[in-house]
């Protein structure tokens, strides 16, 4: 994120530099004149990043700390040391009258109409925006690793498409009882053949006792003697000795030993047992691997099923949870950032029309970002939330300077400063667009779209709307 912070922090220095180079008055007066909008621009940017402190995700809170420190330092350096080293050049002084007569001719209605049509179109396309909670899509996976994963999947199956059901208990037997209940419930699903569970070979002692009772009931009422007679008679006719089935008869007559973890280890199933059982002596968990499908999730979430002692770890459900969190955070952050910025603008301008005009780059940038991403089918992920905050914080800065320039005749090359600061921001994010890492690329692309729309909105739409809506006085 350092490249992004470079693009943001350079804006303050750019405005100070152009203000001093174009000033005809005393440098101290120029700094006093330009410092107020710069400070308020810094406060709005800080306010936009400040809402990230309310995030439930640690990475976004850490990003807020990182960015706020950098912006504060850049603001101080731009207002105190930088003016000491910038030389002044003589240029035409800008004021309300010269600005309105020479810099901007009355904008055609078609420009404003075209802008409104584009906003409406972007708002319509923005309804198609999809929030992606799959964190794997943000990882950089090389072609070699992807080929190896495909080979493993063809050989061993799609393990990434597997969910895990944890049967928990204070001891192993309690966990095994819960695991038996899970297995009986999941076998209602037609795809139960894909379930990997210890329940068929290591049921709980309680289930084993019930099975033993059913086994003994099967051989009651003379069925044992009839089976031995039938095996001896039919076996003799096809060449078996009369004693061939005696081990089976003894097995039926004798007691059945319980199946234990130690017994499974003895017959060579230690690796499977160690994989599917977690027992630290204080708490026991038995794992069941199931297909990560909506059908399995519906079975486990069914109202008739007792979920006590059961935890379901599903990548699909985790993805849905993250998607909902991203959507909720996006809405909350936009509302909080907008509220904070509007309050600062009201404090700065004390004029409703100027506040609304200052928000034109913000609204334009946000709608363009959402509309283009929705129209092109680009998903909105965890890092695009940060990008939205950046568009709000930077877009309002451009609006503050342009409205201040037009309304107060700011003695500074404001248009050039806004344009250059926009270019530095685009350059910083342009580097991220070229990044191979999906997370960095998504930030760069979304901010590039938003800032790319906010800059012309500040330089063209604000002057056009200002001349149409507000009478400029000679104060």
């Amino acid at each position: 994120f350092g490249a992004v912070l470079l693009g943001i922090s350079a804006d303050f220095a750019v405005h100070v530099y152009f203000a001093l180079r174009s000033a005809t008055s005393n440098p101290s007066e120029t700094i006093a004149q330009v410092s107020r909008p710069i400070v308020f621009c810094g406060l709005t940017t800080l306010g936009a990043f400040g809402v990230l402190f309310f995030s439930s995700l640690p990475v976004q809170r850490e990003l807020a700390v990182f960015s706020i420190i950098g912006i504060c330092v850049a603001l101080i350096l731009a207002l105190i040391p930088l003016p000491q080293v910038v030389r002044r050049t003589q240029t035409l002084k800008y004021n309300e009258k010269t600005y309105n007569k020479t810099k901007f001719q009355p904008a055609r209605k078609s420009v404003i109409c075209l802008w409104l049509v584009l906003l409406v179109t972007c708002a319509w396309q923005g309804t198609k925006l999809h929030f992606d909670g799959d964190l794997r899509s943000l990882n950089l996976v090389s072609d070699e690793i992807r080929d190896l994963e495909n080979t493993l999947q063809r050989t061993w199956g799609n393990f990434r498409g597997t969910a895990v059901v944890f049967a928990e208990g204070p001891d192993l037997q309690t966990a095994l009882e819960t695991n038996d209940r899970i297995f009986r419930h999941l076998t209602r699903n037609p795809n139960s053949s894909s379930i990997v569970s210890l329940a068929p070979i290591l049921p709980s002692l309680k289930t084993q006792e019930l099975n033993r009772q059913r086994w003994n009931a099967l051989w009651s009422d003379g069925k044992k003697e009839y089976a031995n007679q039938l095996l001896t008679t039919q076996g003799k006719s096809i060449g078996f000795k009369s004693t061939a089935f005696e081990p089976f008869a003894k097995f039926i007559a004798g007691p059945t030993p319980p199946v234990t973890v130690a017994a499974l280890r003895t017959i060579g199933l230690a690796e499977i047992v160690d994989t599917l059982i977690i027992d630290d002596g204080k708490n026991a968990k038995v794992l069941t691997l199931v297909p990560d499908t909506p059908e399995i999730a519906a079975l486990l979430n069914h109202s008739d099923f007792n979920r006590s002692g059961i935890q379901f770890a599903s990548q699909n459900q985790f993805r849905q949870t993250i998607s909902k969190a991203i959507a909720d955070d996006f809405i909350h952050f936009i509302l909080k950032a907008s509220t904070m910025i509007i309050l600062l603008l009201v404090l700065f301008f004390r004029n409703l029309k100027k506040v609304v005009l200052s928000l034109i780059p913000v609204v334009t940038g946000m709608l363009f970002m959402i509309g283009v991403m929705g129209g092109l089918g680009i998903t909105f992920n965890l890092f695009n939330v940060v990008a939205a905050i950046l568009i709000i914080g930077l877009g309002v800065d451009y609006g503050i300077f342009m409205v201040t320039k037009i309304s107060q005749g700011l003695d500074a090359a404001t248009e050039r400063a806004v344009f250059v600061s926009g270019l530095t921001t685009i350059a910083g994010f342009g580097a991220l667009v070229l990044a191979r890492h999906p997370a960095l690329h998504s930030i760069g692309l979304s901010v590039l779209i938003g800032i790319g729309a906010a800059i012309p909105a500040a330089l063209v739409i604000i002057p056009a709307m200002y001349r149409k809506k507000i009478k400029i006085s000679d104060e």
Side-chain angles (χ1 to χ4, degrees):
F1 205 73
V4 176
L5 197 58
L6 282 175
I8 299 172
S9 58
D11 293 353
F12 307 127
V14 167
H15 283 285
V16 171
Y17 175 81
F18 279 108
L20 290 173
R21 294 282 289 180
S22 62
T24 56
S25 59
N26 187 284
S28 60
E29 295 178 1
T30 302
I31 290 299
Q33 189 181 33
V34 80
S35 61
R36 189 166 180 262
I38 288 178
V39 169
F40 268 87
C41 286
L43 291 176
T44 55
T45 305
L46 292 174
F49 276 106
V51 301
L52 292 177
F53 283 119
F54 298 98
S55 173
S56 57
L57 302 173
V59 63
Q60 291 184 339
R61 296 196 298 269
E62 294 168 2
L63 186 61
V65 175
F66 176 78
S67 301
I68 287 174
I69 293 174
I71 291 170
C72 288
V73 173
L75 188 61
I76 294 171
L77 293 177
L79 292 176
I80 300 177
L82 180 62
Q84 312 304 320
V85 296
V86 177
R87 292 184 179 180
R88 183 179 52 167
T89 59
Q90 295 293 330
T91 60
L92 176 66
K93 180 179 179 179
Y94 290 104
N95 54 44
E96 286 183 289
K97 295 180 180 179
T98 58
Y99 178 86
N100 290 319
K101 291 179 179 179
T102 62
K103 291 300 294 180
F104 279 95
Q105 298 299 324
R108 296 179 180 177
K109 292 182 179 180
S110 57
V111 174
I112 299 177
C113 291
L114 177 61
W115 172 68
L116 293 175
V117 169
L118 287 175
L119 290 187
V120 172
T121 303
C122 289
W124 167 54
Q125 292 295 318
T127 59
K128 304 177 183 179
L129 188 65
H130 173 67
F131 292 88
D132 183 12
D134 187 2
L135 299 184
R136 294 178 300 176
S137 63
L138 300 178
N139 293 330
L140 176 61
V141 181
S142 65
D143 294 336
E144 182 180 1
I145 293 178
R146 186 174 287 107
D147 292 340
L148 289 174
E149 288 181 344
N150 292 334
T151 301
L152 288 172
Q153 181 173 329
R154 290 192 300 268
T155 305
W156 302 103
N158 184 17
F159 187 77
R160 281 191 172 182
T162 302
V164 182
V165 185
F166 294 87
E168 301 177 340
D171 53 64
L172 180 58
Q173 286 305 314
T174 304
L176 287 174
E177 291 177 10
T178 305
N179 191 56
D180 293 339
R181 180 159 52 90
I182 294 171
F183 185 74
R184 288 193 301 269
H185 184 71
L186 291 180
T187 48
R188 301 176 185 177
N189 185 36
N191 297 325
S192 59
S193 58
S194 302
I195 296 174
V196 179
S197 174
L198 283 176
I201 62 173
L202 183 61
S204 64
L205 293 178
K206 183 178 180 180
T207 302
Q208 291 185 43
E209 180 60 29
L210 293 174
N211 292 339
R212 191 177 295 109
Q213 292 176 7
R214 287 191 287 266
W215 173 262
N216 293 331
L218 174 66
W219 298 109
S220 62
D221 301 329
K223 293 178 182 178
K224 188 185 305 181
E225 291 75 11
Y226 176 74
N228 288 333
Q229 182 183 359
L230 186 63
L231 287 173
T232 302
T233 303
Q234 296 297 324
K236 186 177 180 181
S237 64
I238 58 177
F240 281 93
K241 292 182 179 182
S242 58
T243 59
F245 299 99
E246 287 183 0
F248 176 69
K250 292 180 180 180
F251 174 75
I252 295 176
T256 304
V259 180
T260 62
V261 172
L264 294 181
R265 292 180 184 276
T266 302
I267 63 176
L269 298 179
E271 187 173 352
I272 294 178
V273 171
D274 293 338
T275 300
L276 299 179
I277 293 181
I278 304 172
D279 189 359
D280 58 5
K282 299 179 181 179
N283 203 308
K285 296 183 180 68
V286 181
L287 282 61
T288 298
L289 305 181
V290 298
D292 195 0
T293 62
E295 292 78 12
I296 293 293
L299 277 174
L300 292 173
N301 293 321
H302 198 275
S303 58
D304 295 337
F305 181 57
N306 182 11
R307 285 287 300 270
S308 60
I310 297 174
Q311 296 291 336
F312 182 47
S314 163
Q315 294 190 55
N316 282 335
Q317 286 200 342
F318 180 70
R319 187 182 306 119
Q320 294 171 8
T321 301
I322 293 297
S323 297
K324 185 177 183 303
I326 292 173
D328 292 343
D329 277 357
F330 176 70
I331 295 173
H332 293 159
F333 287 164
I334 296 303
L335 291 176
K336 291 175 182 177
S338 300
T339 302
M340 187 174 298
I341 286 173
I342 290 174
L343 291 176
L344 289 172
L345 289 176
V346 171
L347 180 64
F348 178 59
F349 286 117
R350 304 178 187 274
N351 184 298
L352 181 59
K353 292 182 179 180
K354 293 180 182 180
V355 170
V356 173
L357 288 172
S358 299
L359 293 173
I360 286 178
V362 177
V363 175
T364 304
M366 288 296 298
L367 286 179
F368 264 74
M369 182 194 72
I370 295 173
V372 172
M373 292 180 66
L376 297 180
I378 303 173
T379 56
F380 201 89
N381 58 47
L382 178 68
F383 292 94
N384 294 129
V385 175
V386 179
I389 299 298
L390 288 171
I391 293 173
I392 293 175
L394 295 175
V396 74
D397 292 352
Y398 305 147
I400 289 174
F401 271 103
M402 289 303 299
V403 172
T404 303
K405 168 71 178 181
I406 302 172
S407 63
Q408 300 178 13
L410 187 64
D411 187 12
T414 304
E415 302 91 340
R416 203 180 342 170
V418 169
F419 183 68
V420 173
S421 63
L423 291 182
T424 60
T425 302
I426 289 177
F429 286 102
L432 295 185
V433 172
L434 301 177
R436 295 177 58 205
H437 199 287
L440 299 179
H441 175 77
S442 65
I443 293 179
L445 181 62
S446 52
V447 177
L448 192 63
I449 296 172
I451 296 300
I455 294 173
L459 294 176
V460 178
I461 303 301
I462 289 181
M465 297 292 288
Y466 196 102
R467 290 178 61 85
K468 293 289 183 180
K469 299 296 182 182
I470 300 177
K471 292 183 179 180
I472 302 175
S473 65
D474 293 326
E475 295 177 357

